[in-house]
Amino acid sequence: MEFGIVGLGRMGGNMARRLARQGKKIAVMNRSFDVTEVLVKETGHVPCRDYADLVTVLEKPRIIWLMLPAGDVTETALSTLLPLLSPGDLIVDGANAHYQDDMPRAARCAERGIEFADAGVSGGIWGLENGYCIMFGGSDTAAVRLKSYLEVLAPTPETGWLHTGPVGSGHYVKMIHNGIEYGMMQAFAEGFALMKDKSGFNLDLAEIAELWRHGSVVRSWLLDLSADFLAEDQVLDDIAPFVADSGEGRWTALASIEQGIPVPVIMLSLMMRFTTQGKNDYVAKVLAKMRHGFGGHDIKKGE
């Protein structure tokens, strides 16, 4: 047994489950050991309490796949792991990390003779059943070592995974993937909002979403998901108009500036998310005051 997963949240836990279904026995570790114990009872994987335990359980050369939050948590994991590992071991960062963090991390690992690869993973909570789309960057040697696991994690052995290039390329491709996702989601939301507001037609959004799923050029998994929730509730009165943004959307916008490539759809979809978070509230207040100042227009008082 050479493979271990650290981080058994929604993605990491389901990846471990998918590997178990295909007869891949691995070591698993989570910050909360009770989460590890529950997963082990279900999958038969080997439980580990800490990094030292994980390293002891795995045979050399080891593969340790981190499914941890990007940033400090991943950095702490690397700092803890590196002194425990041996030359020839491989660390895979499966978090949504910034691709520019990958190169220095790979250099740190290389100083100890340890390989580093970065993997962007898409599939969400549906990955367990449908498989994950995995884009990973690293050496050709790392690609060979990961192949048998990627074939199981992906929708099929031949589709849904790709060695995108050197270290950093996997997270870069995943970053762009999520930027595109922002734009697609915004366009669908705006279209449904227009139809909901249109008087005189009494449009059934659920029926329209279901219609578009068949033969339309806009059919997609995002449309499938939209059709499902619209079939249950088209009004959405109990949903707060707040949309969080993850790092990838911001990083994609920054990359467009660095590379001088215009991405107005992605950029505006990110700005719209900021608007839902109350970041536009003060802007609107200033606009209202200016409008009142030059034209005497009424100002709506806050409640």
Side-chain angles (χ1 to χ4, degrees), residues 2-3 24 63-65 90-92 117-119 136-153 161:
E2 63 174 1
F3 191 97
K24 292 277 192 182
I63 302 173
I64 297 179
W65 191 299
L90 168 63
I91 296 176
V92 182
D118 57 291
F136 74 96
S139 70
D140 291 340
T141 301
V144 171
R145 294 178 63 185
L146 291 170
K147 185 173 184 288
S148 65
Y149 299 97
L150 297 174
E151 289 176 338
V152 171
L153 290 169
W161 63 274

Side-chain angles (χ1 to χ4, degrees), residues 18-214:
R18 188 168 174 87
L19 289 168
R21 291 182 180 183
Q22 297 297 319
K24 292 277 192 182
K25 189 170 185 177
I26 66 170
V28 291
M29 175 193 151
N30 194 71
R31 181 180 61 178
S32 302
F33 188 63
D34 57 336
V35 174
T36 305
E37 290 181 306
V38 170
L39 182 72
V40 165
K41 288 179 182 178
E42 179 185 344
T43 61
H45 290 322
V46 177
C48 299
R49 288 188 176 274
D50 53 30
Y51 289 110
D53 192 13
L54 178 69
V55 170
T56 300
V57 163
L58 294 177
E59 297 179 5
K60 301 177 183 178
R62 311 171 182 92
I63 302 173
I64 297 179
W65 191 299
L66 304 179
M67 289 300 292
L68 300 170
D72 291 342
V73 175
T74 296
E75 192 64 29
T76 299
L78 283 170
S79 297
T80 306
L81 263 175
L82 283 176
L84 302 174
L85 296 177
S86 305
D89 289 344
L90 168 63
I91 296 176
V92 182
D93 182 4
N96 282 327
H98 195 293
Y99 75 97
Q100 291 182 341
D101 293 336
D102 292 325
M103 282 71 87
R105 287 174 177 169
R108 283 173 57 198
C109 291
E111 291 174 356
R112 296 176 177 268
I114 297 166
E115 281 232 64
F116 179 89
D118 57 291
V121 184
S122 181
I125 59 176
W126 297 92
L128 175 59
E129 299 298 332
N130 300 336
Y132 298 90
C133 178
I134 303 176
M135 45 224 94
F136 74 96
S139 70
D140 291 340
T141 301
V144 171
R145 294 178 63 185
L146 291 170
K147 185 173 184 288
S148 65
Y149 299 97
L150 297 174
E151 289 176 338
V152 171
L153 290 169
T156 76
E158 295 79 25
T159 62
W161 63 274
L162 180 68
H163 180 200
T164 52
V167 168
S169 64
H171 281 152
Y172 180 82
V173 172
K174 179 59 163 52
M175 178 186 77
I176 302 303
H177 166 284
N178 283 27
I180 293 170
E181 179 184 293
Y182 273 43
M184 292 174 66
M185 292 174 69
Q186 185 68 30
F188 273 123
E190 291 174 4
F192 284 120
L194 281 170
M195 290 187 288
K196 180 178 182 297
D197 184 70
K198 180 61 178 174
S199 62
F201 290 160
N202 194 28
L203 298 173
D204 188 317
L205 303 188
E207 289 185 351
I208 292 168
E210 181 62 31
L211 168 71
W212 287 352
R213 293 178 66 196
H214 306 281

